[in-house]
Amino acid sequence: MERAYTTDINGSSDKVKVQGWLREKRDLGSIMFLIIADRKGEIQVTVKDDEVDEDLLESAENVTRESVVSVEGSVQENDQAPGGREIHPESFEVLSEAKKPLPMDPRGKQEANLATRLDNRFMDLRKKDRRAIFEIRDAACSGARQYLEENGFMEVHTPKITVSGTEGGAEVFPIIYYEKEAFLVQSAQLYKQLMQAAGAERVYEITPQWRAEKSRTPRHLTESFSVDMEMSFIEDQEDVMEVQERTVKAMVESIKERASEQLEELDVDLKVPELPLKRLTYDEALEMAEEEGEEIQWGEDINIKAMRKISKRLEEQGHDFYFIKRWPASEKAFYYRPDPEDSKYTQTFDLNYRSWELSSGGQRIHDLELLKERIENQGMDPSEMKFYLDAFRYGMPPHGGFGMGLDRFVASVLGIENVKETVLFPRTPDRLEP
Ligand code: AMO
């Protein structure tokens, strides 16, 4: 008999076969209730002493919670059973027995702390509301892909092992590459720019990236995932911001369309953002922070405390997503183009959701000499980036792009406080397994 998903079974189903995990077991003597869970839902199996043979009764009595089982039987309506139907078994087979005791309770009735949950992530993910996060993440990726594909972007896969950092600073992971030292990429940055010199014009990638972050915060991972895009022949950063906001809108729409049940499961009321999104300059953000009693030196990053106050004000005006643009050159990586009107500023933006920074982007420098100067100014050695700089020698169009943290996007729109919850097997300074 073909296997049915629990959610496809209703009171008028005849004979069925379900396979899944034994989530719960209640033995009341002459009657036993077993709850079988598969990836879609749950169903009750009711075992009555006087309805089944001894072998079946013995298997059902001995089976441990979370064992994988296969049950065949007839379906009956029962208002008291979850979903109003139950299976009366004719065969009951244990496909894989679960040992006792369980490392954690996948029903979440006794909630384990985050560390225990992540240590036993395979079991943690058996919980429906945990899996919902990843179904929503999947829908978000589909939305981004669909929008970018429909707008002429080609999906690419750039190298993840490289010879230099991209974002400045020491936050790179060295690896041993035969006799040489190499690094895990911090972002697809250099390669998506090389693809502009290659004439691809519009590329995107959904990719892991690695940063040896010192910060142990609920927003930082050492391995994060990014929706990266790059496009040629732009006028300025505004062209990139338009693609950015439309991508985000498409991601939210896709979540609402493909994962509405999961949103309900997590009790999240997600609003599709209205475009164009609010645009604030860095200077305006600093003024706003000051009005809220947070003094920030011009040229410094906007700290989280100030960001919370700024975002609260914007939220009250109905802006969850918003841009902060025109950042000081001191705050941005070497490849961003200085503002032609005032080179203290750059043609950059961050996209935020409330107080979360989700994305950075802007127009890039496409002039070789200026690029070298900016690399040197940031204490890096242009000779170590020959492969990258060569691409600017022989015809590089004006271009720009963004990198959006997928993990942070999912966490922030779902109101999840710790970004680790949105990654299957998170990597942090303290966690390298499972
Ligand atoms: P940036 O360094 O701002 O820009 O990173 C872009 C976005 O990636 C996410 N992100 C992270 N998420 C979790 N943990 C981390 N350690 C982490 N680091 C980054 C954030 C962030 O906003 N190359 C540029 C982008 C571009 O201009 O195209 C870049 O990497 O959500």
Side-chain angles (χ1 to χ4, degrees):
M1 192 188 294
E2 214 174 297
R3 175 186 176 224
Y5 279 118
T6 52
T7 43
D8 294 336
I9 299 170
N10 55 45
S12 54
S13 303
D14 188 15
K15 299 240 170 185
V16 293
K17 170 169 159 181
V18 293
Q19 296 185 317
W21 288 260
L22 179 74
R23 189 72 8 112
E24 280 190 56
K25 183 172 162 181
R26 268 191 308 141
D27 193 345
L28 306 180
S30 60
I31 188 166
M32 205 181 328
F33 299 110
L34 308 175
I35 300 289
I36 313 288
D38 59 22
R39 68 182 265 236
K40 297 202 174 180
E42 295 184 345
I43 194 160
Q44 175 169 299
V45 175
T46 303
V47 186
K48 289 185 175 163
D49 280 11
D50 54 1
E51 275 183 10
V52 299
D53 66 34
E54 255 176 45
D55 283 351
L56 196 155
L57 193 62
E58 203 183 319
S59 308
E61 273 171 356
N62 292 335
V63 66
T64 51
R65 270 178 50 213
E66 293 305 317
S67 292
V68 177
V69 298
S70 180
V71 183
E72 284 182 42
S74 56
V75 182
Q76 285 180 19
E77 286 185 3
N78 176 357
D79 289 346
Q80 266 145 44
R85 79 291 189 237
E86 63 186 5
I87 299 176
H88 288 250
E90 282 153 25
S91 84
F92 184 94
E93 195 186 342
V94 177
L95 301 179
S96 168
E97 189 190 50
K99 302 268 181 285
K100 285 206 286 195
L102 295 172
M104 59 171 285
D105 179 8
R107 296 168 305 176
K109 285 189 178 164
Q110 291 159 300
E111 189 64 287
N113 63 30
L114 184 59
T116 306
R117 286 179 35 220
L118 292 177
D119 284 344
N120 300 284
R121 190 62 155 162
F122 68 90
M123 188 156 278
D124 184 45
L125 292 173
R126 286 183 192 177
K127 248 190 114 210
K128 213 171 159 209
D129 59 350
R130 303 266 193 270
R131 258 201 334 269
I133 297 172
F134 295 93
E135 286 154 355
I136 288 168
R137 188 177 162 119
D138 170 46
C141 285
S142 300
R145 250 194 200 106
Q146 190 179 339
Y147 172 77
L148 291 165
E149 297 281 343
E150 281 172 1
N151 285 278
F153 287 85
M154 171 172 73
E155 182 167 7
V156 294
H157 304 100
T158 61
K160 303 300 152 208
I161 299 176
T162 186
V163 294
S164 68
T166 55
E167 306 301 319
E171 287 149 3
V172 282
F173 282 114
I175 59 167
I176 301 160
Y177 194 74
Y178 302 100
E179 289 87 38
K180 277 197 271 187
E181 185 184 55
F183 302 98
L184 295 176
V185 294
Q186 287 175 297
S187 113
Q189 185 64 38
L190 305 188
Y191 295 97
K192 62 183 186 169
Q193 285 193 265
L194 291 190
M195 290 309 292
Q196 307 312 302
E201 294 192 22
R202 289 184 162 218
V203 296
Y204 81 96
E205 181 168 15
I206 301 181
T207 173
Q209 58 188 18
W210 295 269
R211 301 201 184 168
E213 295 283 359
K214 284 173 206 82
S215 350
R216 288 170 160 78
T217 79
R219 299 178 180 201
H220 286 88
L221 297 157
T222 51
E223 180 175 73
S224 61
F225 292 81
S226 170
V227 180
D228 258 272
M229 80 80 166
E230 200 71 19
M231 62 197 279
S232 285
F233 301 107
I234 59 170
E235 288 292 323
D236 58 26
Q237 75 275 22
E238 193 55 44
D239 289 342
V240 182
M241 289 162 79
E242 249 173 55
V243 177
Q244 169 76 84
E245 62 190 356
R246 288 181 189 167
T247 305
V248 158
K249 186 174 179 198
M251 290 165 84
V252 173
E253 281 172 343
S254 173
I255 293 174
K256 288 184 79 94
E257 197 183 306
R258 296 173 213 228
S260 58
E261 264 178 47
Q262 288 80 356
L263 286 175
E264 230 168 86
E265 175 85 38
L266 297 174
D267 201 17
V268 173
D269 176 21
L270 189 56
K271 291 192 188 62
V272 178
E274 269 179 42
L275 303 191
L277 297 178
K278 172 86 179 162
R279 284 144 166 79
L280 210 66
T281 63
Y282 170 82
D283 287 355
E284 285 166 348
L286 253 51
E287 268 170 42
M288 219 186 245
E290 205 180 319
E291 283 162 21
E292 298 291 334
E294 296 297 325
E295 195 81 38
I296 293 160
Q297 283 292 316
W298 191 93
E300 278 180 6
D301 197 5
I302 305 174
N303 61 49
I304 183 73
K305 204 166 152 221
M307 205 58 107
R308 284 207 177 102
K309 292 189 174 169
I310 294 170
S311 64
K312 183 124 197 298
R313 240 166 89 170
L314 292 170
E315 202 187 321
E316 282 161 11
Q317 297 165 16
H319 305 294
D320 289 328
F321 287 102
Y322 60 94
F323 287 113
I324 299 182
K325 62 180 199 173
R326 221 169 170 243
W327 286 75
S330 53
E331 253 310 298
K332 286 289 175 183
F334 63 84
Y335 44 79
Y336 290 110
R337 189 162 182 252
D339 192 321
E341 283 165 25
D342 184 346
S343 63
K344 284 206 309 290
Y345 295 93
T346 47
Q347 290 185 288
T348 47
F349 64 84
D350 278 2
L351 173 74
N352 289 8
Y353 183 89
R354 301 195 179 151
S355 64
W356 288 72
E357 178 205 310
L358 299 188
S359 174
S360 294
Q363 177 159 4
R364 321 300 186 187
I365 297 173
H366 60 277
D367 175 84
L368 177 63
E369 293 313 313
L370 179 59
L371 187 56
K372 281 203 235 163
E373 198 185 302
R374 287 281 290 150
I375 292 175
E376 276 167 2
N377 285 350
Q378 295 212 355
M380 297 165 84
D381 182 356
S383 69
E384 283 179 7
M385 304 182 88
K386 185 174 176 311
F387 81 93
Y388 170 66
L389 293 171
D390 278 351
F392 292 77
R393 270 179 216 286
Y394 310 105
M396 174 63 100
H399 64 283
F402 64 74
M404 170 167 48
L406 179 63
D407 324 294
R408 285 193 191 175
F409 172 87
V410 176
S412 64
V413 299
L414 297 183
I416 293 173
E417 274 167 31
N418 197 322
V419 74
K420 290 190 206 106
E421 299 269 9
T422 70
V423 181
L424 288 175
F425 300 99
R427 297 284 176 262
T428 67
D430 310 309
R431 182 171 290 279
L432 195 50
E433 56 177 5

